[in-house]
Coordinates of all heavy atoms in Angstrom, one line a residue:
M583 N -29.0 25.5 -10.9 CA -28.9 24.2 -10.2 C -28.1 23.3 -11.1 O -28.4 23.1 -12.3 CB -30.3 23.5 -10.1 CG -31.1 24.3 -9.1 SD -30.4 24.3 -7.4 CE -31.1 25.8 -6.8
G584 N -27.1 22.8 -10.7 CA -26.2 21.9 -11.5 C -26.8 20.5 -11.6 O -27.4 20.0 -10.6
K585 N -26.8 20.0 -12.8 CA -27.2 18.6 -12.9 C -26.1 17.7 -12.4 O -24.9 18.1 -12.4 CB -27.5 18.2 -14.3 CG -28.8 18.8 -14.8 CD -29.0 18.3 -16.2 CE -30.3 19.0 -16.7 NZ -30.5 18.7 -18.1
R586 N -26.5 16.5 -12.0 CA -25.4 15.6 -11.6 C -24.6 15.2 -12.8 O -25.2 14.8 -13.8 CB -26.0 14.4 -10.9 CG -26.1 14.5 -9.5 CD -26.0 13.2 -8.8 NE -27.0 12.3 -9.2 CZ -26.9 11.0 -9.1 NH1 -25.9 10.5 -8.5 NH2 -27.9 10.2 -9.5
K587 N -23.3 15.3 -12.7 CA -22.5 14.7 -13.7 C -22.3 13.2 -13.6 O -23.1 12.6 -12.8 CB -21.2 15.5 -13.8 CG -21.4 16.9 -14.3 CD -20.0 17.6 -14.5 CE -20.3 19.0 -15.0 NZ -19.1 19.7 -15.0
K588 N -21.3 12.8 -14.1 CA -21.1 11.3 -14.0 C -20.9 10.9 -12.5 O -20.3 11.6 -11.7 CB -19.8 10.9 -14.7 CG -19.9 11.0 -16.2 CD -18.5 10.5 -16.7 CE -18.3 11.1 -18.1 NZ -16.9 11.0 -18.5
A589 N -21.3 9.8 -12.2 CA -21.1 9.2 -10.9 C -19.6 9.0 -10.8 O -18.9 8.8 -11.8 CB -21.8 7.8 -10.8
T590 N -19.1 9.1 -9.6 CA -17.6 9.1 -9.4 C -17.1 7.7 -9.3 O -15.9 7.5 -9.3 CB -17.2 9.9 -8.2 OG1 -18.1 9.5 -7.1 CG2 -17.4 11.4 -8.4
K591 N -18.0 6.8 -9.2 CA -17.4 5.5 -9.0 C -16.8 5.0 -10.3 O -17.3 5.2 -11.4 CB -18.4 4.4 -8.5 CG -19.5 4.1 -9.4 CD -20.3 3.0 -8.8 CE -21.4 2.6 -9.8 NZ -22.3 1.6 -9.3
P592 N -15.7 4.3 -10.2 CA -15.0 3.8 -11.4 C -15.7 2.8 -12.2 O -16.5 2.0 -11.6 CB -13.7 3.2 -10.9 CG -14.0 2.9 -9.5 CD -15.0 3.9 -9.0
A593 N -15.6 2.8 -13.5 CA -16.2 1.7 -14.3 C -15.7 0.4 -13.9 O -14.5 0.2 -13.7 CB -16.0 2.0 -15.8
P594 N -16.6 -0.5 -13.8 CA -16.2 -1.9 -13.3 C -15.6 -2.8 -14.4 O -15.4 -3.9 -14.2 CB -17.5 -2.4 -12.8 CG -18.5 -1.8 -13.6 CD -18.0 -0.4 -14.0
K595 N -15.4 -2.2 -15.5 CA -15.0 -3.1 -16.6 C -13.5 -3.1 -17.0 O -13.1 -3.6 -18.0 CB -15.8 -2.9 -17.8 CG -15.6 -1.5 -18.3 CD -16.3 -1.3 -19.8 CE -17.6 -0.6 -19.7 NZ -18.0 -0.1 -20.9
A596 N -12.7 -2.6 -16.1 CA -11.2 -2.7 -16.4 C -10.8 -4.1 -16.4 O -11.1 -4.9 -15.5 CB -10.5 -1.9 -15.3
K597 N -10.2 -4.5 -17.5 CA -9.9 -5.9 -17.6 C -8.4 -6.2 -17.4 O -8.0 -7.4 -17.2 CB -10.3 -6.5 -18.9 CG -9.6 -6.0 -20.1 CD -9.7 -6.9 -21.3 CE -10.7 -6.4 -22.3 NZ -10.5 -6.9 -23.6
A598 N -7.6 -5.2 -17.3 CA -6.2 -5.5 -17.0 C -6.1 -5.9 -15.6 O -6.7 -5.3 -14.7 CB -5.3 -4.3 -17.2
P599 N -5.4 -7.0 -15.3 CA -5.3 -7.5 -14.0 C -4.5 -6.5 -13.2 O -3.3 -6.3 -13.4 CB -4.6 -8.9 -14.1 CG -3.9 -8.8 -15.4 CD -4.7 -7.9 -16.3
K600 N -5.1 -5.8 -12.3 CA -4.5 -4.8 -11.5 C -4.0 -5.4 -10.2 O -4.8 -6.0 -9.5 CB -5.4 -3.6 -11.3 CG -4.7 -2.4 -10.8 CD -5.6 -1.2 -11.0 CE -5.1 0.0 -10.2 NZ -5.4 0.0 -8.8
L601 N -2.8 -5.1 -9.9 CA -2.2 -5.6 -8.6 C -2.8 -4.7 -7.5 O -2.9 -3.5 -7.7 CB -0.7 -5.6 -8.6 CG -0.1 -6.7 -9.5 CD1 1.3 -6.4 -9.7 CD2 -0.3 -8.0 -8.8
D602 N -3.0 -5.3 -6.4 CA -3.4 -4.5 -5.2 C -2.3 -3.6 -4.8 O -1.2 -4.1 -4.6 CB -3.7 -5.5 -4.0 CG -5.2 -5.7 -4.0 OD1 -6.0 -5.0 -4.6 OD2 -5.6 -6.6 -3.2
T603 N -2.6 -2.4 -4.6 CA -1.6 -1.5 -4.0 C -2.1 -0.9 -2.7 O -1.5 0.0 -2.2 CB -1.2 -0.4 -5.0 OG1 -2.4 0.3 -5.4 CG2 -0.6 -1.0 -6.3
C604 N -3.3 -1.2 -2.3 CA -3.8 -0.7 -1.1 C -4.0 -1.8 -0.1 O -4.6 -2.9 -0.4 CB -5.2 0.0 -1.3 SG -5.1 1.6 -2.0
F605 N -3.6 -1.6 1.1 CA -3.6 -2.6 2.1 C -4.1 -2.1 3.4 O -4.2 -0.9 3.6 CB -2.2 -3.2 2.3 CG -1.6 -3.6 1.1 CD1 -0.7 -2.8 0.3 CD2 -1.9 -4.9 0.5 CE1 -0.1 -3.2 -0.9 CE2 -1.4 -5.2 -0.7 CZ -0.4 -4.5 -1.4
D606 N -4.4 -3.0 4.4 CA -4.8 -2.5 5.7 C -3.6 -2.1 6.6 O -2.6 -2.7 6.5 CB -5.5 -3.7 6.3 CG -6.7 -4.2 5.6 OD1 -7.2 -3.5 4.7 OD2 -7.2 -5.3 5.8
C607 N -3.9 -1.1 7.3 CA -2.8 -0.7 8.3 C -2.8 -1.5 9.5 O -3.9 -1.6 10.2 CB -2.9 0.8 8.5 SG -1.7 1.5 9.6
I608 N -1.6 -2.0 9.9 CA -1.6 -2.8 11.1 C -1.4 -1.9 12.3 O -1.4 -2.4 13.4 CB -0.6 -3.9 11.1 CG1 0.8 -3.3 10.9 CG2 -0.9 -4.9 9.9 CD1 1.9 -4.4 11.0
L609 N -1.1 -0.6 12.1 CA -0.9 0.2 13.2 C -2.2 0.9 13.7 O -2.6 0.8 14.8 CB 0.1 1.3 12.9 CG 1.6 1.0 13.0 CD1 2.4 2.2 12.9 CD2 1.9 0.3 14.3
C610 N -2.8 1.6 12.7 CA -4.0 2.3 13.1 C -5.3 1.5 12.8 O -6.4 1.8 13.2 CB -4.2 3.7 12.4 SG -4.4 3.5 10.6
E611 N -5.1 0.4 12.2 CA -6.1 -0.6 11.9 C -7.2 -0.1 11.0 O -8.3 -0.7 11.0 CB -6.7 -1.1 13.2 CG -5.6 -1.8 14.1 CD -6.1 -2.5 15.3 OE1 -7.2 -2.1 15.8 OE2 -5.4 -3.3 15.9
H612 N -6.9 0.9 10.2 CA -7.9 1.2 9.2 C -7.7 0.3 8.0 O -6.6 -0.3 7.8 CB -7.7 2.6 8.7 CG -8.2 3.7 9.7 ND1 -7.6 4.0 10.8 CD2 -9.4 4.4 9.7 CE1 -8.3 4.9 11.5 NE2 -9.4 5.1 10.9
E613 N -8.7 0.1 7.2 CA -8.6 -0.8 6.0 C -8.3 0.0 4.8 O -8.8 1.1 4.6 CB -9.9 -1.6 5.9 CG -10.1 -2.5 7.1 CD -11.4 -3.3 6.9 OE1 -12.1 -3.1 5.9 OE2 -11.6 -4.2 7.8
Q614 N -7.5 -0.7 3.9 CA -7.3 -0.1 2.6 C -6.8 1.4 2.6 O -7.1 2.2 1.8 CB -8.5 -0.2 1.7 CG -9.1 -1.5 1.6 CD -8.1 -2.5 0.8 OE1 -7.9 -2.2 -0.4 NE2 -7.6 -3.5 1.5
C615 N -5.9 1.6 3.6 CA -5.4 3.0 3.7 C -3.9 3.1 3.5 O -3.3 4.1 3.5 CB -5.7 3.6 5.0 SG -5.1 2.7 6.4
V616 N -3.2 1.9 3.3 CA -1.8 1.9 3.1 C -1.5 1.8 1.6 O -1.9 0.8 1.0 CB -1.2 0.8 3.9 CG1 0.3 0.7 3.5 CG2 -1.4 0.9 5.3
D617 N -0.9 2.8 1.0 CA -0.5 2.8 -0.4 C 0.9 2.3 -0.5 O 1.8 2.8 0.1 CB -0.6 4.2 -1.0 CG -2.0 4.7 -1.1 OD1 -2.9 3.9 -1.4 OD2 -2.3 5.9 -0.7
A618 N 1.0 1.4 -1.4 CA 2.4 0.9 -1.7 C 2.8 1.5 -3.1 O 2.0 1.4 -4.1 CB 2.4 -0.7 -1.8
V619 N 4.0 2.0 -3.1 CA 4.5 2.6 -4.4 C 5.9 2.0 -4.7 O 6.7 1.9 -3.8 CB 4.7 4.1 -4.2 CG1 5.3 4.8 -5.4 CG2 3.3 4.8 -3.8
L620 N 6.1 1.6 -5.9 CA 7.3 1.0 -6.3 C 8.0 2.0 -7.2 O 7.5 2.3 -8.3 CB 7.1 -0.3 -7.0 CG 6.5 -1.5 -6.2 CD1 6.6 -2.8 -7.0 CD2 7.0 -1.6 -4.8
L621 N 9.2 2.5 -6.8 CA 10.0 3.2 -7.7 C 11.0 2.3 -8.3 O 12.1 2.2 -7.8 CB 10.6 4.4 -7.0 CG 9.7 5.3 -6.2 CD1 10.4 6.3 -5.3 CD2 8.8 6.0 -7.2
R622 N 10.6 1.7 -9.4 CA 11.5 0.6 -9.9 C 12.8 1.2 -10.5 O 13.8 0.5 -10.4 CB 10.8 -0.2 -11.0 CG 9.6 -1.0 -10.4 CD 9.2 -2.0 -11.5 NE 8.0 -2.7 -11.0 CZ 8.0 -3.7 -10.2 NH1 9.1 -4.2 -9.8 NH2 6.8 -4.3 -9.9
S623 N 12.8 2.4 -11.0 CA 14.0 2.9 -11.5 C 15.0 3.2 -10.4 O 16.2 3.2 -10.6 CB 13.7 4.3 -12.2 OG 13.1 5.2 -11.4
Q624 N 14.5 3.4 -9.1 CA 15.4 3.6 -8.0 C 15.5 2.4 -7.1 O 16.2 2.5 -6.1 CB 14.9 4.8 -7.2 CG 14.9 6.1 -8.0 CD 14.2 7.3 -7.2 OE1 14.3 7.4 -6.0 NE2 13.3 8.0 -7.9
K625 N 14.8 1.4 -7.5 CA 14.8 0.1 -6.8 C 14.4 0.4 -5.3 O 15.0 -0.2 -4.4 CB 16.2 -0.5 -6.8 CG 16.6 -1.0 -8.2 CD 17.9 -1.7 -8.1 CE 18.2 -2.5 -9.4 NZ 18.1 -1.6 -10.6
V626 N 13.4 1.2 -5.1 CA 12.9 1.5 -3.8 C 11.4 1.2 -3.8 O 10.7 1.7 -4.7 CB 13.2 3.0 -3.4 CG1 12.5 3.3 -2.1 CG2 14.7 3.2 -3.2
G627 N 11.0 0.6 -2.8 CA 9.6 0.4 -2.6 C 9.1 1.1 -1.3 O 9.9 1.0 -0.3
S628 N 8.0 1.7 -1.3 CA 7.6 2.3 0.0 C 6.1 2.1 0.2 O 5.3 1.9 -0.7 CB 7.9 3.8 0.0 OG 7.1 4.5 -0.9
V629 N 5.7 2.0 1.5 CA 4.4 2.0 1.9 C 4.1 3.2 2.8 O 5.0 3.5 3.6 CB 4.0 0.7 2.6 CG1 3.9 -0.5 1.6 CG2 4.9 0.3 3.7
E630 N 2.9 3.8 2.7 CA 2.6 4.8 3.6 C 1.1 4.8 3.9 O 0.3 4.7 3.0 CB 3.0 6.2 3.0 CG 2.7 7.3 3.9 CD 3.3 8.6 3.4 OE1 3.9 8.7 2.3 OE2 3.2 9.6 4.2
C631 N 0.8 4.9 5.1 CA -0.6 5.0 5.6 C -1.2 6.3 5.4 O -0.6 7.3 5.9 CB -0.7 4.5 7.0 SG -2.4 4.6 7.6
R632 N -2.3 6.4 4.8 CA -2.9 7.7 4.6 C -3.5 8.3 5.9 O -3.9 9.4 6.0 CB -4.0 7.6 3.6 CG -3.6 7.4 2.2 CD -4.7 7.7 1.2 NE -5.7 6.7 1.3 CZ -5.8 5.7 0.4 NH1 -5.0 5.5 -0.5 NH2 -6.8 4.8 0.6
V633 N -3.7 7.4 6.8 CA -4.4 7.8 8.1 C -3.4 8.2 9.2 O -3.4 9.3 9.7 CB -5.3 6.7 8.6 CG1 -6.0 7.1 9.9 CG2 -6.4 6.3 7.6
C634 N -2.4 7.2 9.5 CA -1.5 7.5 10.6 C -0.1 7.9 10.0 O 0.8 8.2 10.8 CB -1.4 6.4 11.6 SG -0.7 4.9 10.8
H635 N 0.0 7.9 8.7 CA 1.3 8.4 8.1 C 2.5 7.6 8.4 O 3.6 8.1 8.3 CB 1.5 9.9 8.3 CG 0.3 10.7 7.8 ND1 0.1 10.9 6.5 CD2 -0.7 11.3 8.5 CE1 -1.0 11.6 6.3 NE2 -1.4 11.9 7.5
V636 N 2.3 6.4 8.9 CA 3.5 5.6 9.1 C 4.1 5.3 7.7 O 3.3 5.2 6.7 CB 3.1 4.2 9.8 CG1 2.1 3.4 9.1 CG2 4.4 3.5 10.2
R637 N 5.4 5.1 7.7 CA 6.0 5.0 6.4 C 7.1 4.0 6.5 O 7.8 3.9 7.5 CB 6.5 6.3 5.9 CG 7.1 6.4 4.5 CD 7.5 7.8 4.2 NE 8.3 7.8 3.1 CZ 7.9 7.7 1.8 NH1 6.7 7.7 1.5 NH2 8.8 7.7 0.8
H638 N 7.3 3.2 5.4 CA 8.4 2.2 5.4 C 8.9 2.1 4.0 O 8.2 2.2 3.0 CB 7.8 0.9 5.9 CG 8.7 -0.3 5.7 ND1 9.8 -0.4 6.5 CD2 8.8 -1.3 4.8 CE1 10.5 -1.6 6.2 NE2 9.9 -2.1 5.1
E639 N 10.2 2.0 4.0 CA 10.9 1.9 2.6 C 11.7 0.6 2.6 O 12.3 0.3 3.7 CB 11.8 3.1 2.3 CG 11.0 4.3 1.9 CD 11.9 5.4 1.4 OE1 13.1 5.2 1.4 OE2 11.3 6.4 0.9
M640 N 11.9 0.0 1.5 CA 12.8 -1.1 1.4 C 13.4 -1.1 -0.1 O 12.8 -0.5 -1.0 CB 12.1 -2.4 1.6 CG 11.1 -2.8 0.6 SD 10.2 -4.3 0.8 CE 11.4 -5.5 0.1
T641 N 14.5 -1.8 -0.2 CA 15.1 -2.0 -1.5 C 14.3 -3.1 -2.2 O 14.1 -4.2 -1.6 CB 16.6 -2.4 -1.3 OG1 17.2 -1.3 -0.6 CG2 17.2 -2.5 -2.8
I642 N 13.9 -2.9 -3.4 CA 13.2 -3.9 -4.1 C 14.0 -4.4 -5.3 O 15.0 -3.8 -5.7 CB 11.9 -3.3 -4.6 CG1 12.1 -2.1 -5.6 CG2 10.9 -3.0 -3.5 CD1 10.9 -1.7 -6.4
T643 N 13.6 -5.6 -5.8 CA 14.2 -6.2 -6.9 C 13.1 -6.1 -8.0 O 12.0 -5.7 -7.8 CB 14.6 -7.6 -6.7 OG1 13.4 -8.4 -6.5 CG2 15.4 -7.8 -5.5
A644 N 13.5 -6.5 -9.2 CA 12.6 -6.5 -10.3 C 11.3 -7.4 -10.1 O 10.3 -7.2 -10.7 CB 13.2 -6.9 -11.6
L645 N 11.5 -8.3 -9.2 CA 10.4 -9.3 -9.0 C 9.5 -8.9 -7.8 O 8.4 -9.5 -7.7 CB 11.1 -10.6 -8.6 CG 11.9 -11.3 -9.6 CD1 12.5 -12.6 -9.1 CD2 11.1 -11.5 -10.9
D646 N 9.9 -7.8 -7.1 CA 9.0 -7.4 -6.0 C 7.8 -6.7 -6.5 O 7.8 -6.0 -7.5 CB 9.7 -6.5 -5.1 CG 10.7 -7.3 -4.2 OD1 10.3 -8.5 -3.8 OD2 11.8 -6.9 -3.8
E647 N 6.7 -6.9 -5.8 CA 5.4 -6.3 -6.1 C 5.0 -5.5 -4.8 O 5.6 -5.7 -3.8 CB 4.3 -7.4 -6.4 CG 4.7 -8.2 -7.6 CD 4.8 -7.5 -8.9 OE1 4.3 -6.4 -8.9 OE2 5.3 -8.1 -9.8
P648 N 3.9 -4.6 -5.0 CA 3.5 -3.8 -3.8 C 3.2 -4.7 -2.6 O 3.6 -4.4 -1.5 CB 2.2 -3.2 -4.3 CG 2.4 -3.1 -5.8 CD 3.2 -4.3 -6.2
I649 N 2.7 -5.9 -2.8 CA 2.3 -6.8 -1.7 C 3.6 -7.2 -0.9 O 3.6 -7.4 0.3 CB 1.5 -8.0 -2.1 CG1 1.2 -8.9 -0.9 CG2 2.4 -8.8 -3.1 CD1 0.1 -8.3 -0.1
D650 N 4.8 -7.2 -1.7 CA 6.0 -7.6 -1.1 C 6.5 -6.5 -0.1 O 7.1 -6.8 1.0 CB 7.1 -7.9 -2.1 CG 6.7 -9.2 -2.9 OD1 6.4 -10.2 -2.3 OD2 6.6 -9.1 -4.1
V651 N 6.4 -5.3 -0.6 CA 6.8 -4.2 0.3 C 5.9 -4.2 1.6 O 6.4 -3.9 2.7 CB 6.7 -2.9 -0.5 CG1 7.2 -1.7 0.4 CG2 7.5 -2.9 -1.8
Y652 N 4.6 -4.3 1.4 CA 3.7 -4.4 2.5 C 4.1 -5.5 3.4 O 4.1 -5.3 4.7 CB 2.3 -4.5 2.0 CG 1.2 -4.6 3.0 CD1 0.9 -3.6 3.8 CD2 0.6 -5.9 3.3 CE1 -0.1 -3.7 4.8 CE2 -0.3 -6.1 4.3 CZ -0.7 -4.9 5.0 OH -1.6 -5.1 6.0
S653 N 4.3 -6.6 2.9 CA 4.7 -7.8 3.7 C 5.9 -7.5 4.5 O 6.0 -7.9 5.7 CB 4.9 -9.1 2.9 OG 3.7 -9.4 2.2
N654 N 6.9 -6.9 3.9 CA 8.2 -6.6 4.5 C 7.9 -5.6 5.7 O 8.5 -5.8 6.8 CB 9.1 -5.9 3.5 CG 10.5 -5.6 4.1 OD1 10.6 -4.4 4.5 ND2 11.3 -6.5 4.1
W655 N 7.1 -4.7 5.5 CA 6.7 -3.7 6.5 C 6.0 -4.4 7.7 O 6.4 -4.2 8.9 CB 5.8 -2.6 6.0 CG 5.3 -1.7 7.0 CD1 6.0 -1.0 7.9 CD2 3.9 -1.5 7.3 NE1 5.2 -0.2 8.7 CE2 3.9 -0.6 8.4 CE3 2.7 -1.9 6.8 CZ2 2.7 -0.1 9.0 CZ3 1.5 -1.5 7.3 CH2 1.5 -0.6 8.4
V656 N 5.1 -5.3 7.4 CA 4.4 -6.0 8.4 C 5.4 -6.9 9.2 O 5.4 -6.9 10.5 CB 3.3 -6.9 7.8 CG1 2.7 -7.8 8.9 CG2 2.2 -6.0 7.2
D657 N 6.3 -7.5 8.5 CA 7.3 -8.3 9.2 C 8.1 -7.4 10.2 O 8.4 -7.8 11.3 CB 8.3 -8.9 8.2 CG 7.7 -10.1 7.5 OD1 6.6 -10.6 7.9 OD2 8.3 -10.6 6.6
E658 N 8.5 -6.2 9.7 CA 9.3 -5.3 10.5 C 8.5 -4.9 11.8 O 9.0 -4.9 12.8 CB 9.7 -4.1 9.7 CG 10.7 -4.3 8.6 CD 12.1 -4.6 9.2 OE1 12.5 -3.8 10.0 OE2 12.6 -5.7 8.8
M659 N 7.3 -4.6 11.6 CA 6.4 -4.2 12.7 C 6.3 -5.3 13.7 O 6.3 -5.1 14.9 CB 5.0 -3.8 12.1 CG 5.1 -2.5 11.3 SD 5.9 -1.2 12.0 CE 4.9 -0.8 13.4
V660 N 6.1 -6.5 13.2 CA 5.9 -7.6 14.1 C 7.2 -7.8 14.9 O 7.2 -8.0 16.2 CB 5.6 -8.9 13.3 CG1 5.7 -10.1 14.2 CG2 4.2 -8.8 12.8
K661 N 8.4 -7.7 14.3 CA 9.7 -7.8 15.0 C 9.8 -6.7 16.0 O 10.1 -7.0 17.2 CB 10.8 -7.6 14.0 CG 11.2 -9.0 13.4 CD 12.5 -8.7 12.6 CE 12.3 -9.3 11.2 NZ 13.3 -8.8 10.2
V662 N 9.5 -5.5 15.7 CA 9.6 -4.4 16.6 C 8.7 -4.6 17.8 O 9.0 -4.3 18.9 CB 9.3 -3.0 15.9 CG1 9.2 -2.0 16.9 CG2 10.5 -2.8 14.9
N663 N 7.5 -5.0 17.5 CA 6.5 -5.0 18.5 C 6.4 -6.2 19.4 O 5.8 -6.3 20.5 CB 5.1 -4.8 17.9 CG 4.9 -3.4 17.4 OD1 5.4 -2.5 18.0 ND2 4.2 -3.2 16.3
G664 N 7.0 -7.3 18.9 CA 6.8 -8.5 19.7 C 8.0 -9.5 19.7 O 8.1 -10.4 20.4
G665 N 9.0 -9.2 18.8 CA 10.0 -10.2 18.6 C 11.2 -10.1 19.6 O 11.8 -11.0 19.8
E666 N 11.3 -8.9 20.1 CA 12.5 -8.7 21.0 C 12.3 -9.5 22.3 O 11.2 -9.6 22.9 CB 12.7 -7.2 21.3 CG 13.1 -6.4 20.1 CD 14.4 -6.9 19.5 OE1 15.3 -7.2 20.3 OE2 14.5 -6.9 18.3
E667 N 13.4 -10.0 22.8 CA 13.3 -10.7 24.1 C 13.8 -9.8 25.2 O 14.8 -9.1 25.0 CB 14.1 -12.0 24.0 CG 13.6 -12.7 22.8 CD 14.3 -14.1 22.7 OE1 15.0 -14.5 23.6 OE2 14.1 -14.8 21.7
Ligands
ZN1563 ZN1 -2.3 3.6 9.7

């Protein structure tokens, strides 16, 4: 019988301010399933939903953060879904 090893939950004492890289998906409406990745060397930011696998890429600048890529995607989705006349 194996003993329980460490609990898998992360230690709560990380003190570096970590930016959010997980967001809610506006397509499948799951929460915290959209991962934002910034490839700063390639100046590309992408978001991808782990549930419905929707994906979006944009060109980023040095000032962009994961939330910016996510916001850009949300803007695009809103345009596609409701902005056309
Ligand atoms: Zn999704």
Side-chain angles (χ1 to χ4, degrees):
M583 296 294 153
K585 283 183 185 172
R586 267 208 305 158
K587 289 189 181 171
K588 290 182 204 166
T590 49
K591 69 176 181 180
K595 61 169 102 161
K597 68 161 104 154
K600 190 163 168 280
L601 289 165
D602 263 348
T603 58
C604 282
F605 306 98
D606 299 345
C607 182
I608 61 172
L609 278 191
C610 66
E611 300 186 340
H612 285 79
E613 295 182 355
Q614 301 294 296
C615 61
V616 175
D617 290 319
V619 177
L620 301 189
L621 302 174
R622 292 194 187 276
S623 59
Q624 297 172 43
K625 295 186 166 56
V626 172
S628 68
V629 289
E630 182 168 5
C631 175
R632 289 194 294 257
V633 178
C634 66
H635 301 289
V636 62
R637 188 175 161 82
H638 172 74
E639 283 190 356
M640 68 177 275
T641 303
I642 58 171
T643 69
L645 298 178
D646 282 324
E647 300 296 346
I649 184 70
D650 295 308
V651 182
Y652 175 72
S653 299
N654 181 266
W655 172 58
V656 171
D657 282 352
E658 290 289 307
M659 294 308 297
V660 169
K661 266 188 234 164
V662 168
N663 289 324
E666 294 299 322
E667 307 185 3

